[in-house]
Amino acid sequence: MATLQIREALRRAMVEEMRRDDRIFLMGEEVGHYNGAYKVSQGMLEEFGEQRVIDTPISENGFAGLGVGAAMVGLRPIIEFMTWNFSLVAYDQVINSAAKIYQMSGGQYSAPMVFRGPNGTAENLAAQHSTSVDSLYAHFPGLKVVTYCDAADAYGLLKAALRDDGPVCFLESELTYGMKGEVPDEEHIIPLGQAKVRRAGRDLSLITWGKQVFTCEAAAKQLEADGIDVEVVDLRSLRPLDHQTLFASVAKTRRAVVVHEGHLFAGVGAEIVARLQEALFDVLEAPVLRVTSRDVPQPYASNLEKLVNPDAARVVEAVRKSLGR
Amino acid sequence: MPELFKMPQATPTMEVGTIAKWRKAEGDALKPQDVVAEVETDKAVMEIEVFDSGVLLKILVEAGVEVPAGQPIAILGKSADEDFSALLASLGGAAPAAPAPAKASPAASTPSAAPTPSPEKGVAAPVARAPEGGLRPFTWAGEAVNSAFMELPTYELGLLEAAAGAAEGPGSGRAAPAARRAARALGIDLDAVHGTGPRGRVLRADVEAAQARPAAAPLPPAPAAPKSEAVKNSNMRKTIARRLTAASQEVPAFYLTAVFDCDALVAFREQLKGAGLAVSYNDILIKGCARALVAVPEVNASWGDEAILRHKAVHVGVAVALPDGLITPVIRDADKKGLSTIAGDMKDLAARARDRKLMPDEYTGSTFSISNLGMMGIEQFTAIINPPEAMILAVGGMQREPVVRADGSLGVGWRMRVTLTCDHRVVDGALGARFLAELRKLIEKPALLAA
């Protein structure tokens, strides 16, 4: 069992897959000679050469489109967005081309490819570089949307994404690239669409994903001191959604709070809440609440940023509200 | 492998297509995007292409023959010498039309071997999988393909029962939030309340009913399963089901509601009564509708695919309730009959309808119908069109209401609500409104009926 930084775990997944499948190539800004803006692709140019680790101009719409075309004719591109914020100028390629080409061509073409890069808030990146794009991509049929919290999941889920036959949006986090975790030495693949119960509990289910898993775990610890025992479920994959794990957890605890980084309004949490009340109307003891980023563009100042982002204190407050204690 | 080439659905509304012309002959080589045939659809003549390289092995449908979309029209293969006899035999008698004569020498045009895709380089099978129950894979020709999927609404997932637990009935803990609140407010033990909601859910009304019951009265035992009695459908029930289901599925209906001022109508009927004439409000409505149908002849009509039929005569059907259904006896030429005649006819028809003594020509052939539930205490409702008619009038009860009169003063007046269901294929909104305006004139100024 090796201890790896998340960036190393991601790199290991890409390198292993590129060694076994020469259709896979990596393309994006600074991925080659600069070794990646966040050093995720460090050393990959050296191993695979300029044919397979391709530096692009600052032109997301262009290279995302190139990637879709390459995927349509049989390659399996990894398109790295330096951050998902920049994917917005390539939105048409991801949504209108990658997500839809399989159905629109009557199954003649598909786009087996991975779009990946850091998502959501980091620190002092201000409004235009702090977007959580979860709901923007989870909305569309044809895409899978996957995220992780620790190094082992980062490795196993990216492996699965790279072997998937459709387009996958793989959401990483700038803040946790350096976070270390144990990754099994042997190859392992975590199938997409399987949530993970990170912490078992009986009083309430915290439903979350990405680095907010850590916010929830911190809140769970604080609540534990007061005798409140919450379960933490990491969805890992927003699409496909693992209904069985989600429903089983909330059917057990009868209460839920959804915690995510994206905005409240029409966020992925709204979908989760809708599904919980549809499925578990007779089981729920209280309305399902949400803790999300505040409904403002991300501020630059650190003190304001802290107020906007979900934190353990807000999660604790929501849990107490749900429990009435 | 030889495969069937089917009549494509070339336009969203296309149900059948006619092969206008075969552009390829049996034995001809095909490459992607080759036009094999021209097909005449409901909208245009379209060119039909093939997507893969291969050979046109067999034409199943001759030019000039019309077939439904999806029906095989040819057999395609990868090479000219493929044996398609089994596939042909599998079509059996279903082969839709005489095949064109076989070409004398298909071998003459045998193409070079069709290109086969080069095998993909060493890649393991994809490992992505869908969790059971949560997803429905996209399918193509019945097979799950790619790794695409659809997220379904939860009630289609089949997980709800498992998630929500199995126990039903009192004590199951299933209660709507509104019921819990009501139970708390009224001091009622939810576990003792019999739930009438889905899967035994206690609803607010159940809590209120439990409170209304005398405290000492024992609760009725909760049935293990709802008890049902099968009541065999009469032919009338089946006819109603068939005709009204068809009508509600096929007729693009819209609804126009109007409130009629009936003060003059009430006075008018009192006068008739005073003169010893037994005429009901319904009889007056029949006459009014008949006159309005004459005034707006475009609505006294039926939809036909090629033409709208405008009826020369005005025959008004009136729905009559029977113990196990309903029937609609017809007042023929109602526009030409006086009120007394209509009243007499209606009385006779209704009585014989209840005795099941009507002759077929007495309950068929209406061009318009009235359904009146006013005497049953219904204020307003909508009716389903009785095909092939284009309209039906649903009549609510007359009642006294506070009204604002034309001069702005407040008063009490007789009002009646009617809702006209219109077949939009025949009647547009403004046209239906014109009919109602005409009817309003006659009902609000019933003296005009004598004109």
Side-chain angles (χ1 to χ4, degrees):
Chain A
M1 188 87 74
T3 300
L4 298 181
Q5 289 185 0
I6 285 179
R7 63 165 58 85
E8 293 167 337
L10 293 168
R11 185 188 313 141
R12 181 181 151 194
M14 285 194 288
V15 166
E16 283 178 7
E17 290 303 301
M18 285 174 71
R19 283 177 189 157
R20 64 183 280 284
D21 184 347
D22 64 9
R23 296 173 304 173
I24 303 178
F25 67 98
L26 172 66
M27 181 159 64
E29 292 154 8
E30 316 267 41
V31 296
H33 291 277
Y34 189 67
N35 285 307
Y38 299 104
K39 305 302 168 211
V40 175
S41 56
Q42 186 142 36
M44 288 175 65
L45 174 65
E46 203 174 328
E47 172 169 357
F48 296 105
E50 288 185 334
Q51 290 277 316
R52 297 183 67 197
V53 179
I54 303 170
D55 279 323
T56 67
I58 298 175
S59 55
E60 282 78 7
N61 189 31
F63 68 78
L66 280 173
V68 177
M72 284 169 63
V73 296
L75 299 179
R76 298 176 82 94
I78 306 168
I79 299 300
E80 179 177 310
F81 293 122
M82 190 181 286
T83 100
W84 274 98
N85 294 279
F86 306 155
S87 78
L88 298 184
V89 293
Y91 201 49
D92 186 56
Q93 298 295 354
V94 183
I95 304 302
N96 270 331
S97 297
K100 299 179 183 175
I101 193 63
Y102 178 72
Q103 184 255 22
M104 290 191 74
S105 68
Q108 295 180 90
Y109 292 106
S110 56
M113 61 193 303
V114 173
F115 298 98
R116 49 159 288 272
N119 176 55
T121 62
E123 277 165 357
N124 306 116
L125 291 182
Q128 292 171 324
H129 289 183
S130 301
T131 314
S132 278
V133 297
D134 316 19
S135 66
L136 299 186
Y137 291 102
H139 181 64
F140 287 94
L143 287 178
K144 297 188 178 68
V145 180
V146 178
T147 185
Y148 60 82
C149 65
D150 63 18
D153 281 2
Y155 166 77
L157 289 166
L158 184 54
K159 296 269 286 188
L162 288 167
R163 294 191 188 193
D164 196 272
D165 280 340
V168 180
C169 293
F170 196 82
L171 309 181
E172 304 170 2
S173 166
E174 188 186 326
L175 280 184
T176 63
Y177 277 138
M179 180 179 281
K180 287 182 178 171
E182 296 204 324
V183 181
D185 294 328
E186 66 277 13
E187 183 174 53
H188 81 282
I189 291 167
I190 301 169
L192 306 184
Q194 286 186 0
K196 182 178 181 183
V197 177
R198 299 270 305 185
R199 180 189 201 281
R202 80 176 176 265
D203 294 331
L204 181 146
S205 298
L206 288 171
I207 311 299
T208 189
W209 55 92
K211 65 177 180 279
Q212 295 308 324
V213 168
F214 304 121
T215 308
C216 289
E217 286 178 342
K221 210 163 210 142
Q222 288 182 30
L223 289 160
E224 193 178 45
D226 293 333
I228 297 172
D229 182 19
V230 300
E231 183 149 313
V232 178
V233 179
D234 177 4
L235 290 179
R236 300 203 289 200
S237 162
L238 305 181
R239 246 185 189 270
L241 188 64
D242 180 355
H243 291 87
Q244 287 190 328
T245 302
L246 176 66
F247 290 172
S249 172
V250 181
K252 180 181 76 173
T253 63
R254 295 176 169 252
R255 295 171 198 269
V257 173
V258 184
V259 181
H260 68 62
E261 222 163 89
H263 296 299
L264 180 83
F265 197 92
V268 174
E271 180 65 31
I272 307 292
V273 173
R275 283 171 182 269
L276 288 175
Q277 67 84 16
E278 285 169 12
L280 301 169
F281 184 75
D282 286 317
V283 167
L284 291 172
E285 298 281 7
V288 180
L289 304 180
R290 289 171 288 166
V291 176
T292 71
S293 288
R294 296 293 185 189
D295 197 23
V296 292
Q298 184 79 0
Y300 175 77
S302 297
N303 57 338
L304 297 179
E305 214 172 37
K306 281 199 180 69
L307 290 175
V308 165
N309 293 338
D311 61 16
R314 275 168 64 199
V315 175
V316 166
E317 186 191 348
V319 170
R320 289 187 180 283
K321 194 154 267 180
S322 173
L323 289 163
R325 57 189 165 121
Chain B
M1 276 286 284
E3 54 186 59
L4 295 172
F5 184 66
K6 294 172 179 167
M7 173 64 78
Q9 189 178 23
T11 69
T13 53
M14 170 179 162
E15 289 176 0
V16 295
T18 303
I19 306 280
K21 184 179 176 187
W22 280 101
R23 295 255 286 261
K24 296 281 181 188
E26 291 180 359
D28 281 359
L30 306 172
K31 56 184 195 306
Q33 272 86 55
D34 270 358
V35 175
V36 284
E38 293 169 20
V39 168
E40 191 180 340
T41 71
D42 54 338
K43 294 214 167 66
V45 175
M46 320 274 291
E47 295 184 331
I48 305 301
E49 299 176 348
V50 290
F51 297 122
D52 293 319
S53 302
V55 180
L56 176 56
L57 293 173
K58 182 88 184 155
I59 287 174
L60 300 172
V61 177
E62 279 182 349
V65 176
E66 180 184 89
V67 293
Q71 184 158 321
I73 55 174
I75 296 176
L76 307 182
K78 284 292 173 204
S79 65
D81 52 6
E82 273 182 64
D83 178 11
F84 56 86
S85 55
L87 189 60
L88 194 58
S90 74
L91 292 172
K103 277 187 72 165
S105 174
S109 57
T110 301
S112 57
T116 48
S118 53
E120 291 176 334
K121 290 183 179 172
V123 179
V127 291
R129 33 68 70 204
E132 274 172 36
L135 307 170
R136 182 176 295 168
F138 281 168
T139 58
W140 189 258
E143 305 248 333
V145 283
N146 194 265
S147 62
F149 62 94
M150 289 167 66
E151 286 290 1
L152 300 172
T154 52
Y155 47 84
E156 291 178 16
L157 294 181
L159 296 173
L160 304 198
E161 306 294 309
E168 297 197 13
S172 70
R174 241 184 274 288
R180 292 179 193 277
R181 191 184 176 94
R184 215 164 36 236
L186 299 170
I188 286 184
D189 176 14
L190 262 182
D191 281 347
V193 178
H194 173 62
T196 61
R199 309 181 66 237
R201 180 183 301 144
V202 176
L203 306 179
R204 184 183 157 138
D206 298 331
V207 174
E208 286 164 353
Q211 195 218 12
R213 205 179 294 119
L219 290 163
K227 288 207 173 94
S228 313
E229 179 196 358
V231 180
K232 202 165 161 33
N233 291 326
S234 64
N235 283 335
M236 174 183 286
R237 203 72 250 154
K238 287 179 188 165
T239 305
I240 291 169
R242 192 180 63 247
R243 284 176 55 81
L244 295 186
T245 302
S248 61
Q249 286 170 356
E250 284 165 19
V251 176
F254 67 90
Y255 309 93
L256 300 173
T257 298
V259 184
F260 290 167
D261 175 347
C262 294
D263 288 347
L265 180 66
V266 171
F268 178 66
R269 181 160 173 265
E270 288 305 314
Q271 283 174 5
L272 294 176
K273 253 166 87 176
L277 295 170
V279 173
S280 72
Y281 289 117
N282 204 49
D283 298 331
I284 300 171
L285 267 170
I286 294 169
K287 177 74 183 172
C289 287
R291 287 279 303 275
L293 288 165
V294 171
V296 189
E298 300 97 310
V299 301
N300 191 41
S302 295
W303 171 254
D305 282 336
E306 302 303 325
I308 289 172
L309 296 178
R310 286 202 187 145
H311 305 301
K312 301 276 185 210
V314 173
H315 302 320
V316 176
V318 180
V320 171
L322 302 177
D324 63 339
L326 62 94
I327 196 159
T328 309
V330 182
I331 304 285
R332 289 185 187 276
D333 298 311
D335 56 318
K336 300 194 174 74
K337 289 180 177 164
L339 279 173
S340 300
T341 312
I342 290 176
D345 284 2
M346 199 59 230
K347 207 169 167 187
D348 168 52
L349 287 168
R352 286 192 295 117
R354 288 187 197 105
D355 292 342
R356 298 290 180 83
K357 296 271 170 61
L358 289 180
M359 303 301 288
D361 67 339
E362 290 176 313
Y363 59 81
T364 57
S366 51
T367 61
F368 173 87
S369 288
I370 296 175
S371 178
N372 189 339
L373 292 176
M375 63 290 269
M376 316 279 280
I378 298 301
E379 184 180 330
Q380 183 183 341
F381 70 107
T382 60
I384 297 179
I385 280 178
N386 184 23
E389 294 164 22
M391 304 197 305
I392 184 168
L393 189 73
V395 182
M398 244 198 291
Q399 53 195 9
R400 308 189 80 176
E401 294 180 6
V403 296
V404 181
R405 302 205 185 279
D407 63 1
S409 66
L410 281 174
V412 176
W414 287 98
R415 293 291 183 268
M416 174 170 68
R417 284 169 175 74
V418 298
T419 300
L420 184 68
T421 305
C422 303
D423 179 346
H424 213 323
R425 296 173 300 183
V426 180
V427 180
D428 294 331
L431 185 58
R434 255 174 64 207
F435 170 83
L436 272 185
E438 192 64 35
L439 181 61
R440 176 197 295 280
K441 189 176 79 187
L442 294 163
I443 296 301
E444 297 192 348
K445 299 189 176 103
L448 293 173
L449 289 172

